[in-house]
Short mmCIF file of all heavy atoms in Angstrom, two decimals:
data_model
loop_
_atom_site.label_atom_id
_atom_site.label_comp_id
_atom_site.label_asym_id
_atom_site.label_seq_id
_atom_site.Cartn_x
_atom_site.Cartn_y
_atom_site.Cartn_z
N GLN S 16 -5.11 9.81 -9.31
CA GLN S 16 -6.52 9.73 -9.71
C GLN S 16 -6.80 8.48 -10.54
O GLN S 16 -5.92 7.96 -11.23
CB GLN S 16 -6.87 10.98 -10.54
CG GLN S 16 -6.68 12.29 -9.78
CD GLN S 16 -7.60 12.41 -8.59
OE1 GLN S 16 -8.80 12.57 -8.73
NE2 GLN S 16 -7.04 12.33 -7.39
N ILE S 17 -8.05 8.02 -10.48
CA ILE S 17 -8.47 6.85 -11.25
C ILE S 17 -8.16 7.09 -12.73
O ILE S 17 -8.44 8.16 -13.27
CB ILE S 17 -9.99 6.56 -11.05
CG1 ILE S 17 -10.28 6.26 -9.58
CG2 ILE S 17 -10.45 5.40 -11.94
CD1 ILE S 17 -9.55 5.07 -8.98
N GLY S 18 -7.56 6.09 -13.37
CA GLY S 18 -7.19 6.20 -14.79
C GLY S 18 -5.77 6.67 -15.02
O GLY S 18 -5.23 6.51 -16.12
N GLU S 19 -5.14 7.23 -13.99
CA GLU S 19 -3.75 7.69 -14.15
C GLU S 19 -2.79 6.52 -14.14
O GLU S 19 -3.06 5.47 -13.54
CB GLU S 19 -3.37 8.69 -13.04
CG GLU S 19 -4.01 10.05 -13.22
CD GLU S 19 -3.44 11.09 -12.26
OE1 GLU S 19 -3.45 10.85 -11.04
OE2 GLU S 19 -2.98 12.13 -12.75
N LYS S 20 -1.66 6.71 -14.82
CA LYS S 20 -0.63 5.67 -14.91
C LYS S 20 0.18 5.60 -13.61
O LYS S 20 0.40 6.61 -12.95
CB LYS S 20 0.32 5.99 -16.06
CG LYS S 20 -0.30 5.78 -17.43
CD LYS S 20 0.00 4.39 -17.92
CE LYS S 20 -0.30 4.26 -19.41
NZ LYS S 20 -0.19 2.88 -19.86
N ALA S 21 0.65 4.41 -13.31
CA ALA S 21 1.51 4.21 -12.14
C ALA S 21 2.86 4.90 -12.36
O ALA S 21 3.52 4.62 -13.36
CB ALA S 21 1.72 2.72 -11.89
N PRO S 22 3.26 5.78 -11.47
CA PRO S 22 4.60 6.37 -11.58
C PRO S 22 5.67 5.30 -11.37
O PRO S 22 5.50 4.39 -10.57
CB PRO S 22 4.63 7.39 -10.43
CG PRO S 22 3.20 7.67 -10.10
CD PRO S 22 2.49 6.38 -10.37
N ASP S 23 6.74 5.40 -12.13
CA ASP S 23 7.83 4.42 -12.00
C ASP S 23 8.63 4.69 -10.74
O ASP S 23 8.51 5.75 -10.11
CB ASP S 23 8.74 4.47 -13.22
CG ASP S 23 9.53 3.18 -13.41
OD1 ASP S 23 9.36 2.24 -12.60
OD2 ASP S 23 10.33 3.11 -14.36
N PHE S 24 9.42 3.72 -10.36
CA PHE S 24 10.26 3.84 -9.16
C PHE S 24 11.42 2.87 -9.28
O PHE S 24 11.43 1.99 -10.13
CB PHE S 24 9.44 3.54 -7.90
CG PHE S 24 8.71 2.21 -7.95
CD1 PHE S 24 9.36 1.01 -7.73
CD2 PHE S 24 7.35 2.19 -8.23
CE1 PHE S 24 8.69 -0.20 -7.79
CE2 PHE S 24 6.66 0.99 -8.30
CZ PHE S 24 7.33 -0.21 -8.07
N SER S 25 12.39 3.04 -8.42
CA SER S 25 13.49 2.09 -8.26
C SER S 25 13.79 2.06 -6.77
O SER S 25 14.35 3.01 -6.22
CB SER S 25 14.72 2.55 -9.05
OG SER S 25 15.79 1.65 -8.84
N LEU S 26 13.37 0.95 -6.13
CA LEU S 26 13.45 0.88 -4.67
C LEU S 26 14.05 -0.45 -4.21
O LEU S 26 13.78 -1.50 -4.80
CB LEU S 26 12.05 1.02 -4.05
CG LEU S 26 11.33 2.36 -4.25
CD1 LEU S 26 9.89 2.26 -3.73
CD2 LEU S 26 12.07 3.49 -3.56
N PRO S 27 14.82 -0.41 -3.12
CA PRO S 27 15.38 -1.64 -2.56
C PRO S 27 14.31 -2.41 -1.79
O PRO S 27 13.42 -1.81 -1.18
CB PRO S 27 16.48 -1.15 -1.62
CG PRO S 27 16.01 0.22 -1.19
CD PRO S 27 15.27 0.78 -2.37
N ALA S 28 14.43 -3.73 -1.82
CA ALA S 28 13.48 -4.60 -1.12
C ALA S 28 14.18 -5.37 -0.02
O ALA S 28 15.41 -5.50 -0.01
CB ALA S 28 12.83 -5.58 -2.11
N THR S 29 13.37 -5.91 0.87
CA THR S 29 13.91 -6.68 1.99
C THR S 29 14.57 -7.98 1.53
O THR S 29 15.34 -8.58 2.28
CB THR S 29 12.80 -7.02 3.00
OG1 THR S 29 11.73 -7.70 2.31
CG2 THR S 29 12.25 -5.76 3.64
N ASP S 30 14.30 -8.41 0.29
CA ASP S 30 14.93 -9.64 -0.23
C ASP S 30 16.32 -9.39 -0.83
O ASP S 30 16.95 -10.29 -1.36
CB ASP S 30 14.02 -10.33 -1.26
CG ASP S 30 13.80 -9.49 -2.51
OD1 ASP S 30 14.45 -8.43 -2.68
OD2 ASP S 30 12.96 -9.90 -3.35
N GLY S 31 16.80 -8.14 -0.73
CA GLY S 31 18.14 -7.82 -1.21
C GLY S 31 18.19 -7.32 -2.65
O GLY S 31 19.25 -6.92 -3.13
N ASN S 32 17.06 -7.33 -3.35
CA ASN S 32 17.01 -6.86 -4.73
C ASN S 32 16.46 -5.43 -4.78
O ASN S 32 15.85 -4.95 -3.82
CB ASN S 32 16.11 -7.77 -5.58
CG ASN S 32 16.67 -9.18 -5.66
OD1 ASN S 32 17.84 -9.37 -5.94
ND2 ASN S 32 15.83 -10.16 -5.40
N THR S 33 16.67 -4.79 -5.92
CA THR S 33 16.08 -3.48 -6.20
C THR S 33 15.07 -3.68 -7.32
O THR S 33 15.35 -4.37 -8.29
CB THR S 33 17.16 -2.46 -6.61
OG1 THR S 33 18.05 -2.28 -5.50
CG2 THR S 33 16.55 -1.12 -6.98
N TYR S 34 13.88 -3.08 -7.16
CA TYR S 34 12.80 -3.28 -8.12
C TYR S 34 12.35 -1.98 -8.74
O TYR S 34 12.35 -0.94 -8.10
CB TYR S 34 11.59 -3.92 -7.42
CG TYR S 34 11.82 -5.34 -6.97
CD1 TYR S 34 12.37 -5.61 -5.72
CD2 TYR S 34 11.49 -6.42 -7.78
CE1 TYR S 34 12.59 -6.91 -5.29
CE2 TYR S 34 11.70 -7.73 -7.37
CZ TYR S 34 12.25 -7.97 -6.11
OH TYR S 34 12.47 -9.25 -5.70
N THR S 35 11.94 -2.08 -10.02
CA THR S 35 11.28 -0.99 -10.72
C THR S 35 9.91 -1.49 -11.14
O THR S 35 9.61 -2.69 -11.02
CB THR S 35 12.07 -0.55 -11.98
OG1 THR S 35 12.06 -1.63 -12.92
CG2 THR S 35 13.51 -0.17 -11.63
N LEU S 36 9.10 -0.60 -11.65
CA LEU S 36 7.75 -0.96 -12.08
C LEU S 36 7.78 -2.08 -13.13
O LEU S 36 6.94 -2.99 -13.11
CB LEU S 36 7.05 0.28 -12.64
CG LEU S 36 5.54 0.26 -12.75
CD1 LEU S 36 4.87 -0.02 -11.41
CD2 LEU S 36 5.04 1.58 -13.33
N THR S 37 8.76 -2.04 -14.02
CA THR S 37 8.82 -3.04 -15.10
C THR S 37 9.11 -4.45 -14.59
O THR S 37 8.82 -5.42 -15.28
CB THR S 37 9.88 -2.66 -16.16
OG1 THR S 37 11.13 -2.46 -15.51
CG2 THR S 37 9.49 -1.39 -16.90
N ASP S 38 9.65 -4.57 -13.38
CA ASP S 38 9.89 -5.91 -12.82
C ASP S 38 8.59 -6.65 -12.55
O ASP S 38 8.60 -7.87 -12.35
CB ASP S 38 10.71 -5.81 -11.53
CG ASP S 38 12.15 -5.43 -11.80
OD1 ASP S 38 12.78 -6.05 -12.68
OD2 ASP S 38 12.65 -4.49 -11.15
N PHE S 39 7.48 -5.93 -12.56
CA PHE S 39 6.18 -6.56 -12.29
C PHE S 39 5.29 -6.57 -13.53
O PHE S 39 4.09 -6.71 -13.45
CB PHE S 39 5.48 -5.82 -11.14
CG PHE S 39 6.36 -5.64 -9.94
CD1 PHE S 39 6.83 -4.39 -9.57
CD2 PHE S 39 6.76 -6.74 -9.18
CE1 PHE S 39 7.67 -4.23 -8.47
CE2 PHE S 39 7.60 -6.59 -8.08
CZ PHE S 39 8.05 -5.33 -7.73
N SER S 40 5.93 -6.46 -14.71
CA SER S 40 5.16 -6.34 -15.96
C SER S 40 4.36 -7.59 -16.30
O SER S 40 3.41 -7.52 -17.08
CB SER S 40 6.08 -5.96 -17.13
OG SER S 40 7.12 -6.91 -17.24
N ASP S 41 4.71 -8.74 -15.74
CA ASP S 41 3.96 -9.97 -16.01
C ASP S 41 2.64 -10.03 -15.25
O ASP S 41 1.78 -10.85 -15.57
CB ASP S 41 4.79 -11.20 -15.65
CG ASP S 41 5.96 -11.41 -16.60
OD1 ASP S 41 5.95 -10.79 -17.68
OD2 ASP S 41 6.87 -12.18 -16.27
N ALA S 42 2.48 -9.20 -14.25
CA ALA S 42 1.26 -9.25 -13.43
C ALA S 42 0.06 -8.72 -14.20
O ALA S 42 0.13 -7.67 -14.83
CB ALA S 42 1.46 -8.43 -12.15
N LYS S 43 -1.05 -9.46 -14.13
CA LYS S 43 -2.29 -9.02 -14.76
C LYS S 43 -2.82 -7.78 -14.04
O LYS S 43 -3.27 -6.82 -14.66
CB LYS S 43 -3.33 -10.14 -14.70
CG LYS S 43 -4.60 -9.82 -15.46
CD LYS S 43 -5.59 -10.96 -15.38
CE LYS S 43 -5.23 -12.06 -16.35
NZ LYS S 43 -6.27 -13.11 -16.41
N LEU S 44 -2.76 -7.82 -12.72
CA LEU S 44 -3.11 -6.67 -11.89
C LEU S 44 -1.98 -6.47 -10.90
O LEU S 44 -1.43 -7.44 -10.38
CB LEU S 44 -4.41 -6.91 -11.12
CG LEU S 44 -5.74 -6.78 -11.85
CD1 LEU S 44 -6.88 -7.14 -10.91
CD2 LEU S 44 -5.94 -5.38 -12.39
N LEU S 45 -1.65 -5.23 -10.62
CA LEU S 45 -0.61 -4.91 -9.66
C LEU S 45 -1.23 -4.12 -8.51
O LEU S 45 -1.85 -3.08 -8.72
CB LEU S 45 0.50 -4.09 -10.32
CG LEU S 45 1.66 -3.66 -9.42
CD1 LEU S 45 2.41 -4.86 -8.87
CD2 LEU S 45 2.61 -2.72 -10.18
N VAL S 46 -1.07 -4.66 -7.30
CA VAL S 46 -1.55 -3.99 -6.10
C VAL S 46 -0.34 -3.42 -5.38
O VAL S 46 0.47 -4.16 -4.82
CB VAL S 46 -2.31 -4.94 -5.16
CG1 VAL S 46 -2.77 -4.20 -3.90
CG2 VAL S 46 -3.50 -5.58 -5.88
N LEU S 47 -0.19 -2.10 -5.43
CA LEU S 47 0.85 -1.42 -4.66
C LEU S 47 0.17 -0.85 -3.42
O LEU S 47 -0.88 -0.23 -3.53
CB LEU S 47 1.47 -0.27 -5.45
CG LEU S 47 2.32 -0.63 -6.67
CD1 LEU S 47 2.79 0.64 -7.37
CD2 LEU S 47 3.51 -1.47 -6.28
N PHE S 48 0.77 -1.10 -2.26
CA PHE S 48 0.16 -0.54 -1.06
C PHE S 48 1.23 0.02 -0.13
O PHE S 48 2.28 -0.57 0.06
CB PHE S 48 -0.74 -1.55 -0.35
CG PHE S 48 -0.08 -2.79 0.17
CD1 PHE S 48 0.12 -2.98 1.53
CD2 PHE S 48 0.31 -3.80 -0.70
CE1 PHE S 48 0.71 -4.14 2.02
CE2 PHE S 48 0.90 -4.96 -0.23
CZ PHE S 48 1.10 -5.13 1.13
N PHE S 49 0.92 1.19 0.38
CA PHE S 49 1.82 1.86 1.32
C PHE S 49 1.49 1.33 2.71
O PHE S 49 0.35 1.34 3.14
CB PHE S 49 1.69 3.37 1.19
CG PHE S 49 2.29 3.85 -0.10
CD1 PHE S 49 1.54 3.84 -1.27
CD2 PHE S 49 3.62 4.23 -0.16
CE1 PHE S 49 2.11 4.22 -2.47
CE2 PHE S 49 4.20 4.62 -1.36
CZ PHE S 49 3.44 4.62 -2.53
N THR S 50 2.52 0.82 3.35
CA THR S 50 2.36 0.09 4.60
C THR S 50 3.54 0.43 5.50
O THR S 50 4.34 1.32 5.19
CB THR S 50 2.24 -1.42 4.30
OG1 THR S 50 1.97 -2.13 5.51
CG2 THR S 50 3.47 -1.98 3.60
N CYS S 51 3.66 -0.26 6.62
CA CYS S 51 4.77 -0.01 7.52
C CYS S 51 4.89 -1.18 8.50
O CYS S 51 4.22 -2.19 8.34
CB CYS S 51 4.58 1.32 8.26
SG CYS S 51 3.16 1.34 9.35
N ASN S 52 5.74 -1.02 9.50
CA ASN S 52 5.98 -2.11 10.46
C ASN S 52 5.11 -2.03 11.70
O ASN S 52 4.89 -3.04 12.36
CB ASN S 52 7.45 -2.08 10.93
CG ASN S 52 8.41 -2.33 9.79
OD1 ASN S 52 8.10 -2.99 8.82
ND2 ASN S 52 9.61 -1.79 9.93
N HIS S 53 4.64 -0.84 12.06
CA HIS S 53 4.10 -0.66 13.41
C HIS S 53 2.63 -0.26 13.50
O HIS S 53 2.00 -0.50 14.53
CB HIS S 53 4.90 0.44 14.13
CG HIS S 53 4.53 1.80 13.64
ND1 HIS S 53 5.02 2.32 12.47
CD2 HIS S 53 3.66 2.72 14.13
CE1 HIS S 53 4.50 3.51 12.27
NE2 HIS S 53 3.67 3.78 13.26
N CYS S 54 2.08 0.37 12.48
CA CYS S 54 0.73 0.95 12.57
C CYS S 54 -0.30 -0.11 12.95
O CYS S 54 -0.36 -1.17 12.34
CB CYS S 54 0.37 1.58 11.22
SG CYS S 54 -1.35 2.07 11.09
N PRO S 55 -1.13 0.15 13.97
CA PRO S 55 -2.12 -0.84 14.40
C PRO S 55 -3.15 -1.19 13.31
O PRO S 55 -3.70 -2.29 13.32
CB PRO S 55 -2.80 -0.20 15.61
CG PRO S 55 -2.45 1.25 15.55
CD PRO S 55 -1.15 1.35 14.83
N PHE S 56 -3.37 -0.29 12.37
CA PHE S 56 -4.29 -0.57 11.26
C PHE S 56 -3.64 -1.54 10.27
O PHE S 56 -4.32 -2.37 9.67
CB PHE S 56 -4.68 0.72 10.55
CG PHE S 56 -5.46 1.67 11.42
CD1 PHE S 56 -4.80 2.63 12.18
CD2 PHE S 56 -6.84 1.61 11.48
CE1 PHE S 56 -5.51 3.51 12.99
CE2 PHE S 56 -7.56 2.49 12.28
CZ PHE S 56 -6.90 3.44 13.04
N VAL S 57 -2.32 -1.42 10.10
CA VAL S 57 -1.57 -2.36 9.25
C VAL S 57 -1.49 -3.71 9.94
O VAL S 57 -1.86 -4.75 9.36
CB VAL S 57 -0.15 -1.82 8.96
CG1 VAL S 57 0.73 -2.90 8.34
CG2 VAL S 57 -0.21 -0.60 8.06
N VAL S 58 -0.99 -3.71 11.17
CA VAL S 58 -0.80 -4.95 11.92
C VAL S 58 -2.14 -5.68 12.10
O VAL S 58 -2.23 -6.90 11.94
CB VAL S 58 -0.13 -4.66 13.28
CG1 VAL S 58 -0.05 -5.92 14.12
CG2 VAL S 58 1.27 -4.07 13.07
N GLY S 59 -3.20 -4.89 12.36
CA GLY S 59 -4.51 -5.48 12.56
C GLY S 59 -5.06 -6.19 11.34
O GLY S 59 -5.79 -7.18 11.46
N SER S 60 -4.71 -5.69 10.16
CA SER S 60 -5.28 -6.25 8.93
C SER S 60 -4.28 -7.03 8.08
O SER S 60 -4.60 -7.45 6.97
CB SER S 60 -5.91 -5.14 8.09
OG SER S 60 -4.94 -4.16 7.75
N ASP S 61 -3.07 -7.25 8.59
CA ASP S 61 -2.05 -7.97 7.83
C ASP S 61 -2.52 -9.33 7.33
O ASP S 61 -2.25 -9.72 6.19
CB ASP S 61 -0.78 -8.18 8.68
CG ASP S 61 0.23 -7.06 8.49
OD1 ASP S 61 0.17 -6.35 7.46
OD2 ASP S 61 1.09 -6.90 9.38
N GLU S 62 -3.21 -10.08 8.19
CA GLU S 62 -3.63 -11.42 7.79
C GLU S 62 -4.75 -11.38 6.75
O GLU S 62 -4.84 -12.25 5.89
CB GLU S 62 -4.02 -12.27 9.01
CG GLU S 62 -2.83 -12.63 9.88
CD GLU S 62 -1.66 -13.26 9.10
OE1 GLU S 62 -1.90 -14.22 8.34
OE2 GLU S 62 -0.52 -12.78 9.25
N VAL S 63 -5.58 -10.34 6.81
CA VAL S 63 -6.61 -10.15 5.79
C VAL S 63 -5.94 -9.85 4.45
O VAL S 63 -6.30 -10.42 3.41
CB VAL S 63 -7.58 -9.01 6.17
CG1 VAL S 63 -8.60 -8.77 5.06
CG2 VAL S 63 -8.29 -9.32 7.47
N THR S 64 -4.92 -8.97 4.48
CA THR S 64 -4.18 -8.65 3.26
C THR S 64 -3.45 -9.89 2.74
O THR S 64 -3.44 -10.14 1.53
CB THR S 64 -3.18 -7.50 3.52
OG1 THR S 64 -3.88 -6.38 4.08
CG2 THR S 64 -2.49 -7.06 2.24
N ARG S 65 -2.86 -10.68 3.64
CA ARG S 65 -2.20 -11.92 3.24
C ARG S 65 -3.19 -12.85 2.51
O ARG S 65 -2.89 -13.38 1.44
CB ARG S 65 -1.62 -12.64 4.46
CG ARG S 65 -0.89 -13.94 4.09
CD ARG S 65 -0.71 -14.88 5.28
NE ARG S 65 0.05 -14.31 6.37
CZ ARG S 65 1.39 -14.35 6.47
NH1 ARG S 65 2.10 -14.94 5.53
NH2 ARG S 65 1.99 -13.82 7.52
N ASN S 66 -4.38 -13.02 3.11
CA ASN S 66 -5.38 -13.91 2.51
C ASN S 66 -5.80 -13.43 1.13
O ASN S 66 -5.97 -14.23 0.21
CB ASN S 66 -6.60 -14.02 3.43
CG ASN S 66 -6.29 -14.77 4.71
OD1 ASN S 66 -5.32 -15.51 4.79
ND2 ASN S 66 -7.11 -14.55 5.73
N THR S 67 -5.97 -12.11 0.99
CA THR S 67 -6.35 -11.55 -0.30
C THR S 67 -5.24 -11.77 -1.33
O THR S 67 -5.51 -12.19 -2.46
CB THR S 67 -6.67 -10.04 -0.17
OG1 THR S 67 -7.73 -9.87 0.76
CG2 THR S 67 -7.08 -9.44 -1.50
N ALA S 68 -4.01 -11.51 -0.93
CA ALA S 68 -2.87 -11.71 -1.84
C ALA S 68 -2.77 -13.16 -2.29
O ALA S 68 -2.59 -13.45 -3.48
CB ALA S 68 -1.57 -11.27 -1.16
N GLU S 69 -2.92 -14.08 -1.36
CA GLU S 69 -2.82 -15.51 -1.70
C GLU S 69 -4.01 -15.96 -2.55
O GLU S 69 -3.86 -16.74 -3.48
CB GLU S 69 -2.72 -16.34 -0.42
CG GLU S 69 -1.37 -16.16 0.26
CD GLU S 69 -1.27 -16.84 1.61
OE1 GLU S 69 -2.32 -17.25 2.17
OE2 GLU S 69 -0.13 -16.94 2.14
N LYS S 70 -5.18 -15.44 -2.26
CA LYS S 70 -6.40 -15.80 -2.99
C LYS S 70 -6.31 -15.41 -4.47
O LYS S 70 -6.75 -16.14 -5.35
CB LYS S 70 -7.59 -15.11 -2.33
CG LYS S 70 -8.93 -15.31 -3.01
CD LYS S 70 -10.02 -14.61 -2.21
CE LYS S 70 -11.36 -14.69 -2.88
NZ LYS S 70 -12.40 -14.00 -2.10
N PHE S 71 -5.74 -14.23 -4.74
CA PHE S 71 -5.72 -13.71 -6.11
C PHE S 71 -4.41 -13.98 -6.85
O PHE S 71 -4.30 -13.67 -8.03
CB PHE S 71 -6.03 -12.21 -6.10
CG PHE S 71 -7.47 -11.91 -5.82
CD1 PHE S 71 -7.90 -11.68 -4.52
CD2 PHE S 71 -8.41 -11.89 -6.84
CE1 PHE S 71 -9.24 -11.42 -4.25
CE2 PHE S 71 -9.75 -11.63 -6.58
CZ PHE S 71 -10.17 -11.40 -5.28
N GLN S 72 -3.43 -14.54 -6.16
CA GLN S 72 -2.12 -14.81 -6.78
C GLN S 72 -2.26 -15.69 -8.02
O GLN S 72 -1.63 -15.45 -9.05
CB GLN S 72 -1.23 -15.50 -5.74
CG GLN S 72 0.25 -15.39 -6.03
CD GLN S 72 1.05 -15.83 -4.81
OE1 GLN S 72 0.60 -16.65 -4.02
NE2 GLN S 72 2.24 -15.30 -4.67
N ARG S 73 -3.10 -16.72 -7.92
CA ARG S 73 -3.30 -17.65 -9.03
C ARG S 73 -3.92 -16.99 -10.25
O ARG S 73 -3.88 -17.53 -11.34
CB ARG S 73 -4.16 -18.84 -8.58
CG ARG S 73 -3.48 -19.73 -7.56
CD ARG S 73 -4.36 -20.91 -7.15
NE ARG S 73 -5.60 -20.49 -6.50
CZ ARG S 73 -5.71 -20.18 -5.22
NH1 ARG S 73 -4.65 -20.21 -4.43
NH2 ARG S 73 -6.87 -19.82 -4.71
N GLN S 74 -4.55 -15.82 -10.04
CA GLN S 74 -5.17 -15.11 -11.16
C GLN S 74 -4.27 -14.01 -11.72
O GLN S 74 -4.72 -13.15 -12.48
CB GLN S 74 -6.51 -14.52 -10.70
CG GLN S 74 -7.52 -15.58 -10.30
CD GLN S 74 -8.82 -14.97 -9.80
OE1 GLN S 74 -9.54 -14.34 -10.57
NE2 GLN S 74 -9.10 -15.13 -8.52
N GLY S 75 -3.00 -14.05 -11.34
CA GLY S 75 -2.03 -13.12 -11.89
C GLY S 75 -1.98 -11.77 -11.22
O GLY S 75 -1.54 -10.78 -11.81
N VAL S 76 -2.42 -11.72 -9.95
CA VAL S 76 -2.37 -10.46 -9.19
C VAL S 76 -1.13 -10.46 -8.31
O VAL S 76 -0.88 -11.40 -7.57
CB VAL S 76 -3.64 -10.28 -8.32
CG1 VAL S 76 -3.56 -8.98 -7.53
CG2 VAL S 76 -4.89 -10.31 -9.19
N MET S 77 -0.35 -9.40 -8.43
CA MET S 77 0.90 -9.25 -7.67
C MET S 77 0.73 -8.16 -6.63
O MET S 77 0.22 -7.08 -6.92
CB MET S 77 2.02 -8.88 -8.63
CG MET S 77 3.36 -8.65 -8.00
SD MET S 77 4.16 -10.23 -7.72
CE MET S 77 5.59 -9.72 -6.81
N PHE S 78 1.16 -8.46 -5.40
CA PHE S 78 1.11 -7.48 -4.30
C PHE S 78 2.52 -6.98 -4.00
O PHE S 78 3.46 -7.78 -3.89
CB PHE S 78 0.52 -8.12 -3.04
CG PHE S 78 -0.97 -8.11 -2.97
CD1 PHE S 78 -1.73 -8.82 -3.89
CD2 PHE S 78 -1.63 -7.40 -1.98
CE1 PHE S 78 -3.11 -8.81 -3.83
CE2 PHE S 78 -3.01 -7.39 -1.90
CZ PHE S 78 -3.76 -8.10 -2.83
N VAL S 79 2.65 -5.67 -3.85
CA VAL S 79 3.94 -5.05 -3.52
C VAL S 79 3.70 -4.01 -2.43
O VAL S 79 2.96 -3.04 -2.64
CB VAL S 79 4.58 -4.38 -4.76
CG1 VAL S 79 5.89 -3.69 -4.37
CG2 VAL S 79 4.80 -5.41 -5.87
N GLY S 80 4.31 -4.21 -1.26
CA GLY S 80 4.20 -3.25 -0.16
C GLY S 80 5.34 -2.25 -0.23
O GLY S 80 6.46 -2.60 -0.61
N ILE S 81 5.05 -1.02 0.13
CA ILE S 81 6.07 0.04 0.16
C ILE S 81 6.01 0.74 1.51
O ILE S 81 4.95 1.22 1.91
CB ILE S 81 5.84 1.08 -0.96
CG1 ILE S 81 5.86 0.41 -2.34
CG2 ILE S 81 6.89 2.19 -0.88
CD1 ILE S 81 5.48 1.35 -3.49
N ASN S 82 7.14 0.78 2.20
CA ASN S 82 7.23 1.51 3.46
C ASN S 82 7.96 2.82 3.20
O ASN S 82 9.14 2.82 2.87
CB ASN S 82 7.98 0.69 4.51
CG ASN S 82 8.03 1.39 5.87
OD1 ASN S 82 7.53 2.48 6.04
ND2 ASN S 82 8.65 0.73 6.83
#
Side-chain angles (χ1 to χ4, degrees):
Q16 300 296 290
I17 299 301
E19 286 190 305
K20 288 267 194 187
D23 202 1
F24 52 79
S25 178
L26 295 173
T29 55
D30 65 7
N32 297 312
T33 297
Y34 292 88
T35 66
L36 198 57
T37 55
D38 288 312
F39 310 111
S40 56
D41 290 345
K43 186 180 281 187
L44 283 177
L45 179 63
V46 178
L47 291 177
F48 62 107
F49 289 85
T50 185
C51 65
N52 297 333
H53 76 280
C54 170
F56 296 90
V57 168
V58 174
S60 59
D61 268 339
E62 290 309 309
V63 177
T64 306
R65 181 198 300 273
N66 291 340
T67 301
E69 290 174 346
K70 176 178 176 180
F71 287 93
Q72 201 168 28
R73 293 181 298 277
Q74 296 178 67
V76 179
M77 178 82 186
F78 275 64
V79 178
I81 301 174
N82 183 359

